[in-house]
Amino acid sequence: MSQLQARFFTDNKKYVIDDVPFSIPAVSEITDLSNVINKLLEGKNGDHKHVEFDFLVQGQFLRSSLATHLETENISTEEVVEIEYVEKYTAPQPEECIMHDDWISSVEADSEWILTGSYDKTARIWSLEGKAVATVAGHTDVVKGVAWVKRDGLSSLLLTASLDQTVLLWEWSSERNKLRARHCCRGHAGSVDTISVDPTRSKFCSGSWDKMLKIWSADYSRSEESNRPRKKQKTEQLGPTRTPLMTLSGHTEAVSSVLWMDTEELCSASWDHTIRLWDAETGSQKNMLTGSKVFNCISYSPLCHRLATGSTDRHVRLWDPRSKDGSLVLLSLTSHTGWVTAVRWSPSHEQQLISGSLDNLVKLWDTRSCKAPLYDLAAHEDKVLCADWTDCGLILSGGADNKLYTYRYSACLSDAGA
Amino acid sequence: VGINEQWGNGMGEGLSEFIRAQMKMGLLSDPRSRVQETLLWYQASLHITFSLSLSLSLSLSLSLSLSLSLSLAFCSQDIRNTVGNIPMEWYKDYPHIGYDLDGKKIFKPIRNKDELDEFLDKMENPDYWRTIHDKMTGTDVCLSDEQVDLVHRLQQGKFGDVNFNEYEPAIDFFSNEVMIHPVTNRPADKRSFIPSLIEKEKVGKLVHAIKMGWIKPRRPKETAPQYYDLWAKEDPNAILGRHKMHIPAPKMRLPGHEESYNPPPEYLLTDEERQVWEQQDPDERKLSFLPQKYLSLRAVPAFSRFIQERFERCLDLYLCPRQRKMRVNVNPEDLIPKLPRPRDLQPFPTLQSLVYHGHSSLIRSISISPSGQWLVSGSDDCTVRFWEVCTTRCLKTMEVGGPVKSVAWNPAPSISLVAVSYGENVILVNPGLGDRLICSATDQLISSYEEPEEVKDQQVQWAVPEGKAQEQGQRLILTHPKAVKQVSWHGRGDYLACVMPDDGSSLQVVIHQVSRRRTQNPFHRNKGAVQCVSFHPSRPYFLVATQRYVRVYNLIKQELTKKLMANCKWISSMAVHPGGDNVICGSYDCRLAWFDLDLSTKPYKVLRHHKKALRGVAYHKHYPLFASGSDDGTVIVCHGMVYNDLLQNPLIVPVKVLKGHIITHDLGVLDVAFHPTQPWVFSSGADGTVRLFT
């Protein structure tokens, strides 16, 4: 089997070639195939510039020679092999390294600002360029979770959750760079490890070590405050205490991660080896997915309707929250050598996600290649504890080496130019 | 029977004479006919009696009186006295002794003989020996010479009649010789020459039965052979086959180069080798002679040890064990007991996941908070550190005044206290981690203590720290008279046991009650040095491990309930199964003993998987797991399933050897502890790290 018949196709109109089968050597690898396509394109179009391609056979990335790949995937070589080619994803470009005073426990970024929570009991706001803007100090213990609520022009609302069992709602005006604690959400009986704001930006949910999930109102109106006596305002530095709207109980162990799948549905991952889906309106449990290991983190992609979880056994697992049959785990992404502490789906690409692990690596995955990641981002010198991926294509990761790394990632070179 | 008949005849004849004598005396009126009758009757009756007496193997030596009384007793018609065969005492009180044939009384002799008369008679009467007393008549009869002779003959087993020839020639009446005078001259019966009708009928019936097959005229011959081949069925390949038992004598080795008169130089011994050879015992020598080189075969002297060697060879042949070794073909794997595969026993820790760096010296003890969120470790660098389990973050470091021997987190979820022992002190620390409410409640609980009115003098000083120590979280300091090695909490979290090992001392174990700040010494006397103690998880038992024994005390009844014999030299650590019926003990001689308290006081199983001394053992609270840490730097995790069914023994399967700790100063793992909810095991080592295996 030295030669086999292959037909190449692509979705990208820019790089379409004739739809005819070619006879190609079976031992050829990605670079050989890429050269073939480039040759063909040059023949068709004189001013074509060399482009690196990646190849997919039946939806799986080609990572070895064509013959071995077909053998392992059990694909017949006697028929014409359909090979899809896409422009090769470029490596994320490292941008900034933001130094902190202590371990970074959580990170969330939006289009302008980065919010990080740290073990020095503070949260910090940074500009995307890595400039320290503000320090959110008020907690009496380690800040475990941070979240942006919303932004009205120059003032923003943000949340910090801490080991001291409270969640604080802050108002920050970027113009005057002034921070005010507006509410102190008390109610949990354990460290609050995770918070998540709902898509309408009016509620948020917190998950705690005390096995509870609590839904709180994120509304804050100034009028409320003016009614209060001034003296009380002064004494209550952290703002008036807020109680939860609803408490969801059901987990038998600590809740490690929580997120909103849409406005009505909540999803939480726990140390009791389960993922539970909740109805945010009624507070009842809708579905439960059972794993075999402790879940550290969870992420949901509205593009492909999949859940990705990181657990204490080195695998990133993909779940279908809607499935009713037994096959809950769709895919395991296996390459980490330590606990997976952070996963985040790409906000723009339905097949890409990042994962951070205690083995100091952040990995960029494509679900079409589950054995090997697309890229390893090996910048951290210690455990990676959190990661985020913003809508504008910025990958952030923070860890126990007190550094927050940012990477600019654009899927293709052509996109980058656009 | 023949002898009996002759006996009878002889007897009869002997007696006939006796009767004849009586007849002479006029007792019998009609001698001829009556004597004949009597004789016949005598013969018959004697015949029967003698055959009876013979068959009963009665002695033939009949005494005189017996023979007579027999002869008279059997004569129901006693001609002299008609009272019959009755005990004569019945007539004791009467003047008569019976009645004669005519109905007249027979009177007793007028004067009875007394003993003296008897004696005088015996002395004086020459016929005394032949005088017999006839009970029936009450008279003394003096036997005549003939009668005495008869009695003698009978006693000797001879015929009674002197003239009877017992060896007379026999005359055959019915012989082949035809006599002129037939014995009977009766003409033959008619039935002797006509066919018998009855027989004909019987034969007819038989013939009919044969025809019908009811009876078989001839039994079919048994065809089975009477003899068989003893060795026919023998397996010729059987090991025990008769001819296979031959064991050849061991063969002598063929001579090699070294035995040559001109061996190659490499076979000649060097001086050193020769010295060694000479120093060795003759039995140990590889060669029984020294290889030597000669110029020619002619120059070879006689082998001096030749006779000796032959003798040894003969001895070898003579003494060689001619025993056939029975090789049993057993697959070695079949001998291993069937255990489930470790794969099927998941979950159990398999990989090292996290390492908690921070201590600079060996970590003697670790403990996990009941929630599983925090870990406390005490080290020889005089610090106690509190760690966040899931991130390995050290949240708190507390310096104490000495190397920390033992730390224990209070198992009660409503109390936030950690007991830390260093030197002679035990401090109770509120780490301030976890629920704030619980932390403050604990502080309140301790501070709300009121001094009792009468202060008892206690061996342990309770003190409340101040200043920096208070800020660090220290709440109480207990100063003991001796160095405290181990602290152990009761499950409800109010009682704390401390061990101060000191061989034979009465103060080795104390139990503190934290809420009342009271100290008790439960034992007046301790046998041996106490190594570790533990409270029973559910019952009021207290387990005390000394060097070789584990004693289980009932704290309520204040008595020794059980004494477990560990079969090891020195117990290092002990753990109680959360179910309460099983105990494991680690020992410094590399053993782990599992006790089933319901089963026996001896270990149910002893595991020898570690290569060096065990330092710590632990049970998991929920999962059927236990772990042991050892100086060889490994933690061995075993599946230890305890069934609710009392009939089923615990299943113990070693599942994983966890390596990771670096051996420093010959010490490896010093303590192991399980996570309260996850199947994770923590181990602390001499390399200053705590490692988490998941």
Side-chain angles (χ1 to χ4, degrees), chain A residues 102-103 119 140-142 144 163-165 189-191 193 209 253 271-273 294 312 314 339 358 383 385, chain B residues 351 353-354 371-374 388-393 395 434-437 623 675 677-680 692 694:
Chain A
D102 211 333
W103 293 14
Y119 272 77
T140 57
D141 217 326
V142 174
K144 282 282 197 159
L163 204 70
D164 63 8
Q165 308 176 7
S191 70
D193 292 339
W209 190 273
E253 291 277 331
W271 277 46
D272 62 3
H273 308 181
V294 166
T312 57
R314 306 174 294 161
W339 291 6
L358 295 188
K383 296 175 272 291
L385 298 176
Chain B
L351 278 172
S353 295
L354 298 175
S371 66
Q373 198 177 6
W374 316 108
E388 188 179 34
V389 166
C390 59
T391 55
T392 75
R393 168 84 184 190
L395 288 159
D435 196 346
R436 295 294 134 112
L437 283 173
Y623 289 97
H675 192 274
T677 51
Q678 304 294 337
W680 299 348
L692 167 64
T694 60

Side-chain angles (χ1 to χ4, degrees), chain B residues 15 81 213 299 389 415 441:
Chain B
L15 283 175
N81 193 347
V389 166
I415 300 172

Side-chain angles (χ1 to χ4, degrees), chain A residues 373-385:
Chain A
L374 287 179
Y375 291 104
D376 281 355
L377 311 179
H380 283 287
E381 289 145 15
D382 208 337
K383 296 175 272 291
V384 178
L385 298 176

Side-chain angles (χ1 to χ4, degrees), chain A residues 171-235:
Chain A
E171 188 186 21
W172 176 62
S173 79
S174 53
E175 189 190 21
R176 288 178 292 162
N177 196 7
K178 235 183 135 185
L179 261 167
R180 286 291 300 274
R182 288 306 179 193
H183 276 293
C184 178
C185 307
R186 293 175 194 272
H188 278 297
S191 70
V192 187
D193 292 339
T194 173
I195 42 175
S196 173
V197 183
D198 90 319
T200 64
R201 302 283 153 187
S202 61
K203 284 188 285 187
F204 68 93
C205 179
S206 62
S208 160
W209 190 273
D210 65 0
K211 309 166 192 178
M212 301 293 175
L213 292 161
K214 286 182 195 286
I215 300 175
W216 316 73
S217 164
D219 281 336
Y220 166 69
S221 57
R222 238 162 271 248
S223 56
E224 209 178 296
E225 195 185 347
S226 54
N227 301 337
R228 302 180 77 86
R230 189 151 282 216
K231 199 176 176 189
K232 193 150 192 192
Q233 282 178 32
K234 271 211 169 157
T235 51

Side-chain angles (χ1 to χ4, degrees), chain B residues 394-407:
Chain B
C394 176
L395 288 159
K396 230 178 213 188
T397 308
M398 193 173 72
E399 286 194 16
V400 294
V404 180
K405 296 283 184 213
S406 175
V407 291

Side-chain angles (χ1 to χ4, degrees), chain B residues 470-542:
Chain B
Q470 172 81 24
E471 277 168 35
Q472 273 186 329
Q474 300 185 13
R475 294 292 177 258
L476 282 173
I477 299 180
L478 288 73
T479 311
H480 294 73
K482 279 178 272 187
V484 179
K485 191 193 164 200
Q486 193 219 350
V487 286
S488 171
W489 285 98
H490 183 253
R492 279 207 219 107
D494 196 17
Y495 292 95
L496 175 72
C498 297
V499 181
M500 298 170 275
D502 182 8
D503 198 353
S505 159
S506 64
L507 186 68
Q508 290 197 68
V509 182
V510 287
I511 298 180
H512 307 295
Q513 190 178 7
V514 174
S515 59
R516 298 173 66 185
R517 297 196 193 169
R518 231 173 44 168
T519 303
Q520 305 172 34
N521 178 14
F523 306 113
H524 292 301
R525 203 151 49 87
N526 285 93
K527 284 173 192 154
V530 176
Q531 299 301 308
C532 48
V533 295
S534 175
F535 285 99
H536 193 275
S538 50
R539 275 175 281 177
Y541 290 165
F542 189 60

